[in-house]
Amino acid sequence: NAGVTQTPKFRILKIGQSMTLQCAQDMNHNYMYWYRQDPGMGLKLIYYSVGAGITDKGEVPNGYNVSRSTTEDFPLRLELAAPSQTSVYFCASSYRGLAKNIQYFGAGTRLSVL
Amino acid sequence: AQTVTQSQPEMSVQEAETVTLSCTYDTSESDYYLFWYKQPPSRQMILVIRQEAYKQQNATENRFSVNFQKAAKSFSLKISDSQLGDAAMYFCAYRSAISNFGNEKLTFGTGTRLTIIP
């Protein structure tokens, strides 16, 4: 069972560069989420999606963009990387209406912006 | 907005002993879910246990149990017979039960780092 797969696992960016963090799930979940985890802190929601073509901002969306063209994939885009975006990024998914919406997490992407 | 507070940044326990991790939350809602997630050094977030607010009975999963006090807005995690593999960051999380667009996100506490002493 693959579950939620995130790529890459690690990445170093220079200030001003852009990149896309990939997230894919094979559980046919309609809800997907992007969180960031700063050192010593809990996870904070960046963006989420309730289905293909439907996304919305979370608590900390500035500097990020998302798209959801398929049920399986939910990429997170950083357009102009800044040091404040150094963090660990987690993608999660859940199936609304089943099992009380347990969110299943990927293994995370550690991003450093230098 | 809901908030989740974990007041113990670090805890330690002797192997085979019992430890309790604290969590309090603030909400004006009456129906919600509470979760404990474990994050080992591998970073993978793993669900440990879940509690539904409208259920009086405390949830239990093998060596893990919760003490859910709805009136006090408290949700502590008890780990019995602690094992070396229990060493991890533990996060308490809240989710609204209201099925509106955007309510299904988790609100996390800042975590408690648990160390198991052999």
Side-chain angles (χ1 to χ4, degrees):
Chain A
N1 292 337
V4 180
T5 303
Q6 291 184 238
T7 55
K9 294 190 188 313
F10 305 95
R11 185 71 184 269
I12 297 174
L13 283 181
K14 294 182 179 179
I15 295 172
Q17 286 186 320
S18 59
M19 77 164 292
T20 299
L21 281 68
Q22 301 291 346
C23 175
Q25 53 90 12
D26 61 358
M27 297 175 282
N28 200 30
H29 286 171
N30 47 353
Y31 281 62
M32 295 187 74
Y33 311 81
W34 275 105
Y35 293 90
R36 60 177 285 174
Q37 184 182 27
D38 298 329
M41 303 295 289
L43 281 68
K44 292 189 176 180
L45 185 66
I46 305 172
Y47 269 97
Y48 63 97
S49 170
V50 301
I54 306 172
T55 63
D56 203 0
K57 298 176 181 178
E59 301 171 83
V60 289
N62 291 342
Y64 307 93
N65 279 301
V66 294
S67 60
R68 185 97 181 269
S69 57
T70 67
T71 299
E72 295 77 19
D73 301 299
F74 189 41
L76 178 71
R77 178 85 177 159
L78 284 70
E79 290 294 347
L80 291 170
S84 61
Q85 293 178 304
T86 294
S87 191
V88 180
Y89 292 84
F90 288 95
C91 179
S93 71
S94 67
Y95 183 64
R96 183 167 183 256
L98 182 66
K100 308 302 190 297
N101 282 35
I102 292 172
Q103 290 189 18
Y104 297 88
F105 286 80
T109 295
R110 183 178 294 277
L111 176 67
S112 295
V113 182
L114 305 175
Chain B
Q2 295 81 22
T3 59
V4 177
T5 302
Q6 294 179 249
S7 58
Q8 305 155 316
E10 297 183 357
M11 293 280 287
S12 60
V13 62
Q14 294 277 354
E15 193 175 2
E17 297 295 309
T18 295
V19 65
T20 298
L21 308 184
S22 300
C23 173
T24 58
Y25 58 95
D26 188 28
T27 183
S28 59
E29 298 175 335
S30 59
D31 198 10
Y32 47 86
Y33 299 97
L34 297 164
F35 304 83
W36 278 99
Y37 276 88
K38 170 185 177 181
Q39 186 181 44
S42 66
R43 293 203 316 254
Q44 184 80 46
M45 295 287 284
I46 303 165
L47 179 67
V48 174
I49 200 164
R50 176 190 61 198
Q51 175 76 41
E52 299 167 58
Y54 61 85
K55 288 190 175 179
Q56 298 277 356
Q57 187 173 4
N58 289 326
T60 299
E61 290 286 343
N62 300 315
R63 298 183 294 107
F64 298 86
S65 61
V66 298
N67 183 6
F68 173 50
Q69 301 289 329
K70 191 173 184 179
K73 296 180 182 174
S74 171
F75 182 60
S76 60
L77 174 70
K78 185 172 84 171
I79 306 174
S80 303
D81 185 25
S82 298
Q83 300 175 0
L84 293 177
D86 295 334
M89 282 288 286
Y90 286 81
F91 291 96
C92 180
Y94 171 103
R95 188 185 73 76
S96 171
I98 299 172
S99 296
N100 290 337
F101 182 53
N103 273 346
E104 308 221 10
K105 63 180 183 289
L106 290 168
T107 300
F108 285 86
T110 53
T112 296
R113 182 175 301 281
L114 179 64
T115 301
I116 311 296
I117 303 167

